[in-house]
Amino acid sequence: MPGTLSFDDLKSRVTDGSIDTVLACFPDMQGRLMGKRFHAVNFVETSFKETHCCNYLLATDLEMATPEGYAASSWQGGYGDYVMQPDLDTIRPVPWLEGTAMVLCDILDHHTHAEVPHSPRAMLKKQIARLKALGFDAMMATELEFFLFEKSFDDIRKSGFRDMAPISGYNEDYHIFQTTKEEGVMRPIRNHLYAAGLPIENSKGEAEAGQEELNIRYSEALLCADHHTIAKNAIKEIAWAQGHAATFLPKWHHDRVGSSSHVHQSLWQDDTPVFVDDADPLGMSGLMKNYMAGLIAYAPDYTFFLAPYINSYKRFAKGTFAPTKTVWSVDNRTAGFRLCGEGTKGVRVECRIGGSDLNPYLAQAAMLAAGIKGIEDRMPLPAPTTGDVYEDAKAADIPQTLRAATQTLRDSAMLRAAMGDDVVDHYTRCAAWEQEEFDRIVTDWEVARGFERA
Ligand code: ADP
């Protein structure tokens, strides 16, 4: 499988003229790639050391607004610069764009050159280091679900988001014929990403018209988040280049199934999976049980990191495979957590709460923090649930709204201890701002409902 490029490989490709552009980018709070397009000669001669960006990029929303209330970035603080420091281990070709390579950057304080604590890559690295101090590495896989549409982003936007026909006319879950019709988009997604060094496993049709899933082989947590972010960007770019839109909005229509990003997790020690215990009836080690107990107990604390927008909460509906309860079960898709690969070396926990709009760095950082707490406190794992978990009145609910998840994030002593007060306060502000923006907007629904009849 073609891998990433070394800095020397990049220099040779710039010299032979096959690469003329280098994208230097980093994931923002929303998990988008932000950054600059360098002339490749400039990048390999000077900018590979560092470049700069405005610090509002880690204190803005999807609209690039400049909300008040962030301690780290503000008009009062003058919106200064951050250093973007290319991580030269992440250089890779971008085969779907002509003559282009990409590098991911870490975000550093302009003066101290310390990593900015609320930058998503730094937040995940911190939890990985805490886990490493206990002697373990995390292996993760994040599934990417999304919808493809017949028309382009521009056409759909110009229609006021009214003219939205999915690329297929019917539920295409596991369909080979329908997904054959979509190979014009999906085959280049698989092949270009593979050529960019991502270990693509497969794509498949999902349980709704136009819904797709892309699976990438599990890897060390930071790499998994990098893969997810690059793949999400590539899916949009490849679909766009062919005149189609691809959306990761978790619930694009109330009558349609939502899109998730399930996160598979296992811990390892020196290349040995340590969630495995052959003597246990389900093959789960004591360590795995403690980790899962932490994940389950603290799910309300970190729900915001799995569901960061108003729309995210529209996905949590009964009978749609999107979970509403913080319980676990053995291979049962109605629970928030599912045991997968029981009795095998691949035994792992799948968190099914996250939507397709999650930021994988933040989601993994928060779940690692919860799992670490479970290990440290040797938390006991409750018994698994069975049957239709939606109807289990005793099972605890995950927060049902962004407002509720903002409160549980704000109040989380676990996340404050694991991530730092400044980081939790930063993301609490992010969550509260999203709610404030929604609260001030008059929606189509309320106008249609009340205009004549209220
Ligand atoms: P499903 O039937 O849910 O699609 P798969 O076998 O395709 O299950 O696996 C789903 C994801 O789990 C894949 O991306 C795979 O790489 C990942 N995975 C497999 N083993 C592990 C593991 N030990 N730790 C973490 N993720 C894993």
Side-chain angles (χ1 to χ4, degrees):
M1 177 186 143
T4 51
L5 297 173
S6 69
F7 190 45
D8 284 340
D9 293 336
L10 177 66
K11 284 195 266 192
S12 327
R13 295 204 192 184
V14 175
T15 305
D16 72 22
S18 56
I19 286 183
D20 57 58
T21 299
V22 178
L23 310 179
C25 17
F26 67 94
D28 70 359
M29 294 201 294
Q30 290 74 21
R32 299 173 293 186
L33 286 179
M34 302 304 241
K36 303 179 185 177
R37 312 182 100 90
F38 279 91
H39 193 287
V41 173
N42 174 281
F43 183 82
V44 296
E45 285 182 353
T46 57
S47 299
F48 73 90
K49 292 190 211 115
E50 67 175 53
T51 177
H52 306 96
C53 67
C54 175
N55 71 22
Y56 98 122
L57 288 177
L58 289 178
T60 187
D61 63 5
L62 290 170
E63 297 279 11
M64 311 306 291
T66 51
E68 300 279 320
Y70 285 108
S73 308
S74 63
W75 290 114
Q76 295 88 322
Y79 282 116
D81 263 358
Y82 283 144
V83 171
M84 294 170 60
Q85 184 175 61
D87 175 349
L88 298 182
D89 290 336
T90 67
I91 304 172
R92 65 185 72 242
V94 181
W96 60 99
L97 299 179
E98 213 178 322
T100 302
M102 170 191 287
V103 66
L104 296 175
C105 300
D106 290 311
I107 300 298
L108 314 182
D109 183 276
H110 199 202
H111 306 288
T112 64
H113 271 60
E115 276 203 75
V116 170
H118 57 273
S119 75
R121 262 187 134 233
M123 285 170 63
L124 180 52
K125 283 200 249 175
K126 179 170 178 172
Q127 300 311 315
I128 290 171
R130 291 183 68 224
L131 188 66
K132 192 80 189 168
L134 296 177
F136 308 115
D137 298 309
M139 290 292 183
M140 301 269 192
T142 50
E143 300 173 11
L144 289 105
E145 288 181 5
F146 55 97
F147 278 84
L148 284 180
F149 289 85
E150 263 175 22
K151 296 216 165 135
S152 69
F153 284 121
D154 286 339
D155 286 341
I156 290 174
R157 187 183 319 104
K158 285 174 194 161
S159 78
F161 299 95
R162 287 282 173 269
D163 190 7
M164 297 177 73
I167 203 166
S168 106
Y170 50 81
N171 179 329
E172 58 185 285
D173 203 16
Y174 295 94
H175 271 234
I176 293 302
F177 176 47
Q178 177 55 38
T179 52
T180 295
K181 295 194 257 170
E182 294 149 12
E183 275 292 81
V185 182
M186 296 307 296
R187 183 165 175 246
I189 287 173
R190 292 192 306 274
N191 291 343
H192 284 321
L193 284 171
Y194 190 83
L198 275 67
I200 300 299
E201 290 184 337
N202 56 59
S203 65
K204 64 179 276 292
E206 258 299 324
E208 182 56 271
Q211 194 177 27
E212 316 283 342
E213 175 177 299
L214 181 74
N215 286 301
I216 306 173
R217 186 179 155 77
Y218 66 96
S219 48
E220 183 275 313
L222 185 65
L223 196 54
C224 168
D226 289 349
H227 287 162
H228 181 113
T229 306
I230 293 166
K232 185 173 170 185
N233 191 63
I235 289 165
K236 290 185 182 179
E237 290 184 345
I238 292 167
W240 162 82
Q242 301 201 20
H244 296 291
T247 187
F248 289 81
L249 191 68
K251 195 82 174 172
W252 74 270
H253 193 283
H254 49 269
D255 290 335
R256 306 286 180 140
V257 164
S259 293
S260 322
S261 182
H262 302 150
V263 184
H264 294 253
Q265 311 170 41
S266 61
L267 298 191
W268 295 58
Q269 199 162 38
D270 303 326
D271 299 329
T272 305
V274 287
F275 273 5
V276 183
D277 180 353
D278 294 334
D280 181 78
L282 292 171
M284 301 163 73
S285 68
L287 183 86
M288 178 174 193
K289 291 176 185 173
N290 296 152
Y291 182 92
M292 274 179 72
L295 273 188
I296 292 169
Y298 292 106
D301 295 43
Y302 61 78
T303 295
F304 168 72
F305 291 120
L306 300 177
Y309 303 106
I310 295 287
N311 182 260
S312 316
Y313 295 82
K314 303 281 163 80
R315 190 183 132 252
F316 296 137
K318 253 174 83 170
T320 62
F321 291 115
T324 56
K325 304 279 188 180
T326 62
V327 292
W328 74 284
S329 69
V330 182
D331 204 11
N332 176 334
R333 286 186 162 78
T334 64
F337 299 87
R338 183 167 71 118
L339 178 70
C340 295
E342 70 269 21
T344 73
K345 293 276 168 249
V347 67
R348 59 192 182 273
V349 55
E350 176 195 38
C351 173
R352 299 177 55 81
I353 299 171
S356 49
D357 53 349
L358 60 68
N359 177 333
Y361 299 92
L362 306 181
Q364 290 186 45
M367 286 193 279
L368 283 178
I372 290 170
K373 182 74 174 151
I375 294 171
E376 285 174 345
D377 292 355
R378 296 182 189 272
M379 291 172 68
L381 181 64
T385 41
T386 49
D388 181 351
V389 179
Y390 293 117
E391 299 302 338
D392 183 347
K394 290 193 302 299
D397 283 323
I398 51 174
Q400 300 293 299
T401 60
L402 179 60
R403 208 185 296 279
T406 305
Q407 196 56 44
T408 48
L409 171 65
R410 185 183 281 117
D411 294 345
S412 176
M414 183 280 291
L415 287 176
R416 287 184 177 277
M419 295 179 164
D421 282 329
D422 50 349
V423 171
V424 172
D425 289 343
H426 191 88
Y427 283 91
T428 302
R429 178 64 195 129
C430 173
W433 169 255
E434 199 65 20
Q435 184 72 52
E436 284 165 28
E437 282 297 88
F438 180 73
D439 287 346
R440 119 187 134 71
I441 298 299
V442 177
T443 64
D444 291 357
W445 178 82
E446 59 203 290
V447 173
R449 197 168 172 97
F451 185 80
E452 183 176 333
R453 292 166 291 178

